[in-house]
């Protein structure tokens, strides 16, 4: 039988961060093999979007592992001991987006960055954003999450000078089900210089922030 | 040959306002016949979205008619002499949306309502909206136009208590070309109780405002 | 850990009605925390689209709460004692749309308005609408629900002079699955001055009616 | 060089009507060759959707030909001398749909059926349909054209017992531009037993009527 | 509480056939009430697309009822005793489409027409259609079902002279999942005079056939 | 009752390979009948996309059958004894695509071709492809699977001279959920002469390879 | 100023055929520079989809060049002197598809293969295909072009054993405008082992055929 | 008449760069007024996507202005005298994308950054990228443009550690017409931490780069 997985060990060298495992479409069996490959090379391994049932099996197989039920982040190994703080702010409109807030938060933590979370900064009550502007100006990168109509990054983009990474959330119903409206809204923003990642791609937003923070 | 047009003379009686003519997909010849039908009944007639070339021919045929090149509104007859003011405010994000601002403005004027226009209230500079809030609270109906990401009605909806009618404009490019992103964004708004009309349907927004203003 | 929820206590002051909780994408745990926050401020709280299983758990936690299984409206606290009547009529085509009829009905009830329901006014038997026209003319706002081809608001809009809020229902199959056909049909209506809300957004239609009824 | 066109001479034998030529995507040169092929076999030939400029050239080449500028039907040869009447009624909502009314009318005429046209039966004034119901009940087949929200076939379908063929027109703007909303609305109709043809396929509707009328 | 259902008792009189109940989006409770309403008027009632679990409960409540698990047709009452035969042929490409074959078959049976079924007439083996042409020419109406690329009605339409009603089936995967490709293919058919109903609308196809067969 | 299935026994003769059974939308009962038909003619039968639960029942009914849980291939009968090797290479980006790798692998095996699998040739680490180029040049046909952005066939197409069949996988989330992005990306490839099959159509890719390999 | 174009001189070596120039989105000025680069290296150069006006200017600049107005192929240099014949058959449904027939024909000719053209093999008259089956069986590769519903490759695929490359044509109107219906229909084909290229990508189909013919 | 334009003079202060004018949907008259407003405040003004005909009129009105016909950038005023270099690299696949290369180049130049352009780095010849990797590693921000299948950012993202901003170009035909395929492909990229802007939004990509470069 052919071989199914080769860790891209040189990714770190090439792009400055190690490979992460996308957990959603892999079976427990496949994930287990991959995690053991990482362990063999004495590396920690972070898996994203690991469904709860799969995480429960894996938690038994890998004692001491970490699982965040909200974001479905699964970690075998350890978060770094030292963190840099005040580099990334994560803004979101409310409780429904928390799964992405956490995916970003834990991915950055895995790479030694502790982000600050500003939740419930909903655009339907714009004062909540306005009240935080001075505080927000101190961060290097702003990540903004929104579902439904996805307007928050546009308002934030008109008020803040930093790099802004917009993350559409698959939160909504009717026409906004699945997150496409938020995605398209962010791409069309009349605020300048906002960049966007795929729907629910919290992990990708964290990596984009990391690429910026890694600049010398 | 069969007959092609019957004015719905009782519409006024049934729903409180007379029939308006959609000009975009009718030929000069067809429009001319319809206008003459109205004239026969001694009525003014308002045609929307009449392309410039067609309007030029019609202007010659109907001397004294009014044509607004920006909105493509064509009027044979007269605007009423007396207007009620301060009932409708029209908000928009900038110069590109002016064609809709005017379509709404002249349709309301045809029915005796003079709207006030607040242009360049762009969401990428939210202070421009905030500075006008007290002034805006005095109107009965707020009509909000936006193209691109269509975020303005959402921000307005969180700050103002009146009926808000959102009008998506076919202004944008790439993913927002044609106005669908603005439309979907408005429909998905996390602000409460906003209603929406079709893309570029300034006329419909004016009629919806009229239905509200006609309430006793 | 950061804080996840801040009630927008001033919304009432700004826009004339208090905040409502969107229940579909929140966990029982998250809803429970939010409801307790409202209780702390001695407010009733209305949650929309709370799935049955979640409502069962919450009903145990909050005894005396109200749950309508059809609309999935969950209320902790009380409906007002006094209602104004004859202000809103809700039209729908049949049994399949009842979940939206109820969502609108109970949301308006929460804000002290008792709506009248006209169900089974299907457009495939237009006499059912025609027979009710005189009765319908007495209401201030007409809310019209339709799934499938969404034609009912168009026919109603040609017969009634009041503000008409069209609500597309995610009822249908094949091409009309999910409610987009009804939504697009309503937005494209050749009847004048109809406004539209998102698919299944009964709550939003109720709030839009409220904005109109709150006009002095 | 290879041969480009073979008339399907046996189509008549197989399906009961001869081949018709789709003119929109063929050059004048290509149309000319095809028409000459028909002439060689002493047949009349009907071409649909022939753009005006192309028709002008062809009219010169084929003197005595017939061209309807509204429907863009081009005929070389003759309409039959005897017609059956009162078999097909064509309903439409107004002047903008006339191009399809005519395409259907002339196609049926080519096959010896003279249809009756009921124009301006708009659904926003449903009395115009109701007033014609008794008259309409006398036809064998009803063809209903509609653009925008496409609601007319649904209302007609609830009132009339005959075969109803719905034809969506590419008339509308914003979301209904191109005729998809009308098409989808017709396909989703809650009226029973309506069938639908492609957007702007007046010719196809005529042929479908013919298949019914040809039944013994 | 308001009333939820009114049988459209005059539909039979208006359009020649009685009302049928769409079962998919109604609860057991709602269906039960509706069925009892029909029973009260001593009518048989046919419900379409009743999911198996719901049918099991209803079968207990209405002993002697008929349920076809494949098409999900549920009948309370009786099929007529006498049938006309050889009026409708149902063509389909294979086993996967059988749910629609049966929905059409039983709906027609309810109205006293026994259709003949030609299954496994797949277009990828066109000889299977060619071998049946002479036999098929004897029917008055041809109903053709297809999923995937939906090509069968096009081939049949070029070989048969009768009215052809095409029914797209939600059978396929990848790009053809949900039946849209088959639907669009049928609408675009280069065969003449084919008409189309909504995806999975076997019931509608049967009613369209009935409208034709009811012609005097 | 009518007959539901006719094996297309002459397909082999016409196109060079026997019929295969699409299992996803057939019931256990339907599959069982079809398999028995093949057995009656002493043929092996391969069923694709047979869901696990159905396969478990069928495995009991047909002892000695083969089922691959990953690809959901179900075989009653035997794979050929002799294989030709080194004719087809299957490239894929990682573990998530394995279900298609196997569907292709086992389909080709059924027809006597043993493909070689190159898994984890992800485009985000292009060296993994570059390192295998010389090895890959020895195969007659290259099948390339990709989900997400579907870029792998484009890069491969610029480096390899053989026929390249691209297979989009329904692997991804957000905008790439369902495989459409990969499909469209492959169709749009700026590499020359790549051909594409439907999303998840591993079986079709295998058959396309077979058509090439069967050329004399 | 930076350099805009580098011929990929080694493409021939890598993949077995030289680079071709996509003409549609390049200006005359840009095309002229690129062609001169090829001339410098004494190579012939084939440009696809060069609009007529641009070709007229280029024809003057490069005397002796070849331009086919139907396919918009522009060649500077020479077609090879010797051709292999009987390797590729091009099937199409009629005159409207000729632009693709020619694009494929001339591209293959540029690479020394003379294809045979079978035009007017329309699927609505399936006998035209059946009559040619024996003749078609002699070719190595079959390329099938279709617009509208795109059914021809499916029927051909059930009758012929060779590699079949399906090319969707942007010929149609209404729902089939732009070629998507034909594309999706081909991808969904229930015939086995058909592969597909992008809409209007005649050039790509030719290259895919070439990859097969180049196999030893 | 109401006022149509207010320069957002404080944008510079808020977000670190001045307002830019979107020229595509404004008339010459509107652009002229806006430019004069900037002149009044002694500011240079950059307008994007100004169509050639409009630019010709404006060039006469504002002598000494700069217009780049390829990108349609129009500048009244001056580019800065001093530039920082080696901060941004712009990658693109070929001549067809040059309009975006230039839009980015001139926007960055307006803000004092001279970008380096790497054109013809097409993904179908991946060696052209590989040969430039060491050179590219020296830049702070990489902007990657691609039309068609949009694969270039994915390959670049796997080889380079810097912030990568992907810009989809509306270059392609058939399924990739309009740039959506490139956009979706970039959003779905399996390379980590790539961010994306709207189709053809070269200006936005430049501003996003500027937000990064402005970080202290």
């Amino acid at each position: 039988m052919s071989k199914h997985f080769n860790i891209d060990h040189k990714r770190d060298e090439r792009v400055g961060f190690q490979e992460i495992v996308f957990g959603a479409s892999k079976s427990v069996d496949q994930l287990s093999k991959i995690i053991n490959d990482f362990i063999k090379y004495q590396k920690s391994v972070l898996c994203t979007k690991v469904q709860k049932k799969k995480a429960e099996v894996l938690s038994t197989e890998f004692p001491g592992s970490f699982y965040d039920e909200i974001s479905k982040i699964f970690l075998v190994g350890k978060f770094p001991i030292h963190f840099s703080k005040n580099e990334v702010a994560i803004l979101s409109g409310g409780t429904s987006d928390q799964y992405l807030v956490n995916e970003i938060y834990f991915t950055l933590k895995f790479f030694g960055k502790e982000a600050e979370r500003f939740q419930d900064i909903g655009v339907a009550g714009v004062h909540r954003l306005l009240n935080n502007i001075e505080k927000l100006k101190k961060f290097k990168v702003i990540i903004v999450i929104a579902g439904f109509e996805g307007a928050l990054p546009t308002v934030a983009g008109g008020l803040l000078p930093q790099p802004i990474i917009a993350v559409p959330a698959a939160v909504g119903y009717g026409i906004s089900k699945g997150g496409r409206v938020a995605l398209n809204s962010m791409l069309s923003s009349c605020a300048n210089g906002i960049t966007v990642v795929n729907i629910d791609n919290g992990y990708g937003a964290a990596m984009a922030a990391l690429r910026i923070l890694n600049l010398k």
Side-chain angles (χ1 to χ4, degrees), chain A:
Chain A
M1 181 121 195
S2 73
K3 207 169 158 328
H4 292 150
F5 186 76
N6 298 295
I7 305 180
D8 183 359
H9 291 299
K10 306 237 166 136
R11 185 170 296 182
D12 204 340
E13 209 171 275
R14 285 198 323 274
V15 298
F17 40 76
Q18 71 156 77
E19 203 171 354
I20 292 293
V21 178
F22 174 57
S25 57
K26 298 191 179 71
S27 66
V28 165
D29 195 49
Q30 292 171 327
L31 284 170
S32 169
K33 277 185 201 149
I34 293 171
I35 292 168
N36 277 313
D37 267 13
F38 276 90
I39 288 171
K40 212 181 306 164
Y41 288 88
Q42 289 170 303
K43 288 193 173 175
S44 293
V45 51
L46 192 82
C47 307
T48 61
K49 302 192 191 296
V50 180
Q51 294 86 345
K52 197 180 169 185
K53 286 200 177 164
K54 284 154 62 175
E56 284 167 355
V57 183
L58 291 169
S59 295
T60 311
E61 188 178 345
F62 300 98
S65 58
F66 167 85
Y67 183 63
D68 174 54
E69 201 175 314
I70 293 171
S71 63
K72 307 199 186 311
I73 284 277
F74 184 78
L75 170 75
V76 177
K78 289 187 180 154
F79 286 112
I81 303 166
H82 302 294
F83 296 98
S84 65
K85 298 197 174 189
N86 299 323
E87 292 190 322
V88 182
I90 308 171
L91 272 69
S92 77
T95 313
S96 301
D97 300 342
Q98 206 182 334
Y99 72 100
L100 283 176
V101 173
N102 284 17
E103 182 173 318
I104 296 165
Y105 179 82
F106 289 117
T107 303
L108 284 171
K109 198 171 171 183
F110 182 74
F111 289 106
K113 311 286 178 186
E114 179 149 54
E116 190 158 335
R117 288 169 280 183
F118 295 78
Q119 293 174 266
D120 217 47
I121 302 281
V123 80
V126 79
H127 58 287
R128 291 179 289 196
L129 174 59
L130 295 168
N131 294 343
N132 281 295
I133 287 298
E134 286 317 305
K135 219 167 160 185
L136 287 167
K137 285 200 166 158
K138 288 168 187 150
F139 293 87
K140 287 192 180 153
V141 178
I142 309 287
I143 297 176
V144 190
I145 302 161
F148 287 95
E149 90 296 324
L152 187 55
T154 293
V155 182
L159 295 166
L160 292 165
Q162 302 103 312
I164 293 179
I165 300 163
V167 190
V171 174
Y173 62 95
I175 201 79
S176 57
K177 194 175 175 182
R180 285 220 181 194
V181 173
L183 169 65
N184 289 342
S185 181
M186 290 165 176
L187 286 166
S188 309
S189 176
C190 59
N192 300 304
I194 290 173
T195 60
V196 187
V197 296
N198 191 9
I199 298 159
D200 284 352
N201 192 6
Y203 160 66
M207 300 313 277
L210 210 64
R211 283 179 180 264
I212 296 170
L213 298 175
N214 282 351
L215 279 177
K216 274 138 292 203

